[in-house]
Amino acid sequence: MAKDYSRMEDSNRSSNPSIHDVSAHRRTVLRGGLGLAVGGLLAPLAGCAGPGNAATGPLLGFRSVPVGTADTVVVPEGYSVQAIAPWGDPVGLSGEDHAFRFDASNTAAHQETQMGMHHDGIHYFRQPDMPAGSGLLVMNHEYADDGLLHPDGMATWNAQKVRKAQAAHGVSVIEVEEKNGRWSVVKPSPWARRITAYTPIAVSGPAAGHALLRTAADPGGRRVLGTLNNCASGITPWGTYLTCEENFIFYFKGPDQPDAHQARWGLRKGDPVGYRWHEHDERFDATKHPNEINRFGWVVEIDPYDASSTPVKRTALGRAAHEGATIAVTRDQRAVVYMGEDARFEYIYKFVSRDRIRPGGAKANAELLDHGTLYVARFDADGKGRWLPLIHGEGLLTTARGFADQGEVLVKTRQASDLLGGTKMDRPEWIAIDKQGWVYCTLTNNSNRGGTNQPGTDAANPRSNNTMGHIIRWKEAGDHDGLAFEWNHFVLAGDASLARPDARGNVRGDAFGCPDGLWTDARGVLWIQTDMSTSAMGKDDLRNLGNNAMLAADPRTGDIRRFLVGPVGCEITGATSTPDGRTMFINIQHPGESPSERSDPAQPRRISNWPDFRPDGRPRSATVAIRKNDGGVVGT
Ligand code: FEO
Ligand code: CA
Ligand code: CA
Ligand code: CA
């Protein structure tokens, strides 16, 4: 089956239908991804002693690496990288150890015990009672590439293949340890865990049990099987992990005439492009189970320290094609969760908790994200902005307007935001907060901006045909729960050598395009990770930029330097580090993604064999541990 997944990637984030055509070329599947975790803000959680807090010199202490096209990870002189925990390696469940088979002949049952595919958001967790030198890596597996996942790709199709693909989704928890500068996965480990697309997950918050969440298999609407398309991530101050469901809609078969709600969420007529789960798992057929789509698109909270705990979908945070969830804490100890929705012309959100964070970890804060207020951002032309509350019964969010209660407002977060007049953004991805309190959001690109029947430019999204993307930032009035803010552009990405003025951007330093991952480290460095789609990389504005990269920015000066270049066909996503800052972990996602075909085994034009480089192998997403050869803090 001929598929152009990369074009899907480029085109799947569609949606704001008020303006969106639903042309065939835009039907797509999904993927995307990136993750980023909290960072400096929450560093004390991890017991951060503050390697960078003592830094007095320049924030960026390395020499830039050039643009590159090699099938390897390139880092600055004086640094080394090690790939760990690739797709298919055992996670270390007790009594189970199914080695990865390079011909992809592992079964679905094996895959349940192995690293999932296409690593994305990631965070390093550590508790004081863990063995010295060890910690947990918790990470998302955004999607599965069926061409790589099975020996014959999708040439044949059956229920076991669907099951294996579902097992390759979700989240992994692994224990890792460092000895003499080398990292390895601890096997077995009491913390090791796989969460998949069929792991039972609880639903909490105002939409739990709502009529729109009830299905034949779950008449109570409070227990969903699985989490899907887990893209970026976040962490909480109470030690849990937040995984965010992004392009869930593309897994579902739609009716001949999607209703207004389905259409607003991008459900297309007929079979999904690429995914064929509905052929063997009926709940992905929205013509039979129309409410199943409402059970995805949430932020899911996981306690990484308790492998028997049930993950929870937190509906109070709203439903979206969620990218990440980045938490700030107000002066009076309430949690503020910043979230982007990565789809063209969708929105930026924040949730402010009603209650204060309590000492006592996950158990003491088990309901903290269930009560509070969700807001959508409006960026005004005068450099100011407002947070507009999504509260049932206030303003336009009434029963007369189609919202029966707060649960319906949350299930229909997009429709509610349309009514309130939130600003339609250029695909909001990761969010990070610097040491001065600026909140940054990557807007990865939006080539539809200014197109026919599409929204034109606005102050916050100033470029039509925005192929390069930009990073916006804002500072709240008062505290993070403020209802007003001031904003500006941190950078318009681009390449100064281009002829098209609008694509040159204003980067002060090394050129880049399509910012996606974003993370602030303990010293305050803003790490920027790129996700130029492989279908777009070889042409036009992105031609000169080579493989996807990670750059480091100084938020105070705006200086940006290229720190790392990934292997061919990958995107760079997810960033975290050990509390001492001496190892940084990032994810290399979908190495070898080809511009013309993702991975059809019948046409093995594989452009990457990273990280194994075996002739009988296949490219594998993996985590990369980055260290400075002299043992210093990464980035110094
Ligand atoms: Fe999954 Fe928006 O990247
Ligand atoms: Ca991705
Ligand atoms: Ca992306
Ligand atoms: Ca992403």
Side-chain angles (χ1 to χ4, degrees):
M1 149 179 193
K3 299 186 286 292
D4 181 349
Y5 285 91
S6 33
R7 188 176 317 135
M8 293 171 189
E9 149 78 352
D10 184 41
S11 57
N12 64 22
R13 300 61 225 249
S14 58
S15 290
N16 214 326
S18 38
I19 18 198
H20 237 240
D21 75 55
V22 213
S23 61
H25 81 275
R26 229 147 357 90
R27 293 181 285 125
T28 60
V29 178
L30 43 49
R31 173 239 116 170
L34 180 319
L36 143 309
V38 177
L41 226 205
L42 300 181
L45 242 200
C48 179
N53 297 346
T56 51
L59 206 51
L60 310 181
F62 61 91
R63 187 180 300 179
S64 291
V65 299
V67 164
T69 56
D71 192 26
T72 189
V73 177
V74 177
V75 287
E77 193 180 331
Y79 284 82
S80 57
V81 292
Q82 177 196 4
I84 61 169
W87 157 56
D89 272 18
V91 296
L93 300 180
S94 183
E96 309 193 49
D97 200 359
H98 299 288
F100 178 68
R101 296 178 186 164
F102 284 89
D103 64 356
S105 64
N106 289 113
T107 65
H110 295 172
Q111 179 64 72
E112 281 181 15
T113 71
Q114 299 171 327
M115 297 295 295
M117 264 194 156
H118 293 344
H119 305 23
D120 210 315
I122 184 172
H123 188 74
Y124 179 91
F125 287 87
R126 179 175 160 76
Q127 281 183 324
D129 60 349
M130 300 179 87
S134 87
L136 305 180
L137 284 176
V138 185
M139 74 184 79
N140 296 344
H141 301 291
E142 187 179 22
Y143 70 105
D145 179 338
D146 288 297
L148 288 175
L149 187 66
H150 318 288
D152 69 343
M154 295 177 83
T156 60
W157 197 239
N158 56 49
Q160 273 302 301
K161 284 183 160 180
V162 172
R163 188 77 171 175
K164 187 177 181 186
Q166 293 177 345
H169 279 67
V171 175
S172 289
V173 181
I174 54 175
E175 183 183 356
V176 291
E177 66 176 352
E178 181 257 329
K179 284 181 181 157
N180 302 318
R182 301 287 292 177
W183 287 89
S184 59
V185 179
V186 178
K187 294 177 280 195
S189 165
W191 292 284
R193 184 173 195 188
R194 276 307 319 284
I195 293 163
T196 70
Y198 46 83
T199 300
I201 297 182
V203 182
S204 74
H210 197 281
L212 289 167
L213 267 64
R214 295 178 198 155
T215 64
D218 176 31
R222 293 175 182 273
R223 183 177 176 275
V224 177
L225 294 183
T227 182
L228 272 186
N229 211 251
N230 303 78
C231 187
S233 56
I235 62 170
T236 67
W238 49 95
T240 59
Y241 182 78
L242 301 175
T243 183
C244 304
E245 300 179 332
E246 192 190 15
N247 292 308
F248 62 89
I249 201 72
F250 300 109
Y251 294 76
F252 289 88
K253 175 183 177 178
D256 286 344
Q257 290 193 307
D259 65 26
H261 171 56
Q262 292 171 329
R264 180 65 185 85
W265 288 84
L267 185 67
R268 312 285 204 241
K269 168 185 175 181
D271 293 348
V273 177
Y275 287 95
R276 293 170 56 190
W277 292 8
H278 65 284
E279 295 175 22
H280 298 284
D281 189 345
E282 192 177 283
R283 71 188 169 109
F284 292 98
D285 183 343
T287 69
K288 294 177 178 163
H289 303 286
N291 280 354
E292 191 70 17
I293 65 167
N294 296 331
R295 294 148 65 85
F296 295 92
W298 304 106
V299 174
V300 185
E301 184 173 9
I302 297 168
D303 180 356
Y305 299 117
D306 180 358
S308 68
S309 60
T310 301
V312 183
K313 300 202 180 199
R314 299 292 182 189
T315 65
L317 275 55
R319 180 164 167 266
H322 274 296
E323 183 73 19
T326 300
I327 293 192
V329 179
T330 61
R331 285 188 282 273
D332 66 357
Q333 296 297 302
R334 283 170 298 132
V336 177
V337 190
Y338 290 102
M339 298 166 282
E341 171 160 32
D342 177 12
R344 294 187 178 112
F345 307 114
E346 296 298 347
Y347 303 106
I348 292 173
Y349 296 97
K350 80 172 177 184
F351 168 85
V352 180
S353 72
R354 181 191 69 187
D355 302 325
R356 297 180 183 193
I357 300 166
R358 295 191 199 136
K363 302 248 175 337
N365 294 283
E367 294 179 10
L368 197 99
L369 296 181
D370 290 339
H371 306 285
T373 305
L374 182 67
Y375 302 86
V376 62
R378 189 187 73 205
F379 293 82
D380 295 327
D382 60 359
K384 295 185 165 62
R386 299 291 300 182
W387 290 106
L388 312 172
L390 281 74
I391 300 174
H392 181 258
E394 288 194 8
L396 296 171
L397 305 184
T398 60
T399 305
R401 289 279 187 161
F403 301 97
D405 49 31
Q406 183 64 17
E408 187 155 9
V409 168
L410 293 167
V411 171
K412 299 179 177 176
T413 302
R414 283 185 179 176
Q415 292 97 316
S417 299
D418 293 343
L419 280 176
L420 293 180
T423 300
K424 299 175 188 301
M425 309 298 289
D426 286 347
R427 295 183 50 192
E429 302 240 35
W430 288 76
I431 290 173
I433 305 166
D434 75 9
K435 285 178 173 293
Q436 285 72 46
W438 286 96
V439 186
Y440 298 71
C441 182
T442 48
L443 297 158
T444 194
N445 62 60
N446 184 352
S447 53
N448 288 357
R449 175 73 66 182
T452 307
N453 299 322
Q454 305 285 342
T457 58
D458 57 40
N461 302 278
R463 294 191 286 186
S464 59
N465 184 21
N466 183 11
T467 55
M468 289 299 199
H470 55 289
I471 300 177
I472 200 166
R473 66 176 180 178
W474 62 90
K475 191 172 265 190
E476 306 284 11
D479 204 346
H480 281 286
D481 64 341
L483 297 181
F485 57 88
E486 296 190 354
W487 66 270
N488 59 45
H489 289 117
F490 179 63
V491 63
L492 304 180
D495 173 354
S497 72
L498 293 173
R500 183 165 80 91
D502 221 22
R504 291 178 194 157
N506 60 7
V507 180
R508 192 182 146 114
D510 295 329
F512 69 98
C514 307
D516 186 341
L518 199 63
W519 179 66
T520 308
D521 72 14
R523 295 191 307 126
V525 176
L526 187 65
W527 297 87
I528 302 166
Q529 301 170 315
T530 73
D531 177 19
M532 300 177 287
S533 77
T534 43
S535 61
M537 282 170 70
K539 58 192 179 193
D540 303 336
D541 302 342
L542 303 171
R543 185 191 309 120
N544 300 330
L545 297 178
N547 297 348
N548 277 307
M550 178 165 74
L551 305 98
D554 183 336
R556 301 165 306 184
T557 64
D559 289 335
I560 295 177
R561 280 188 215 175
R562 191 180 302 105
F563 178 86
L564 175 148
V565 176
V568 175
C570 80
E571 74 175 75
I572 312 294
T573 177
T576 185
S577 80
T578 52
D580 64 9
R582 297 176 193 280
T583 297
M584 182 175 184
F585 298 98
I586 64 164
N587 280 324
I588 302 294
Q589 192 190 65
H590 63 69
E593 183 183 73
S594 152
S596 56
E597 106 277 350
R598 193 157 76 170
S599 54
D600 181 352
Q603 298 177 302
R605 289 186 284 139
R606 292 210 184 110
I607 55 174
S608 170
N609 243 331
W610 189 89
D612 304 291
F613 300 110
R614 287 169 56 126
D616 62 339
R618 46 197 65 218
R620 297 200 279 170
S621 295
T623 299
V624 164
I626 303 162
R627 289 177 61 84
K628 208 171 176 185
N629 296 340
D630 66 6
V633 172
V634 173
T636 57

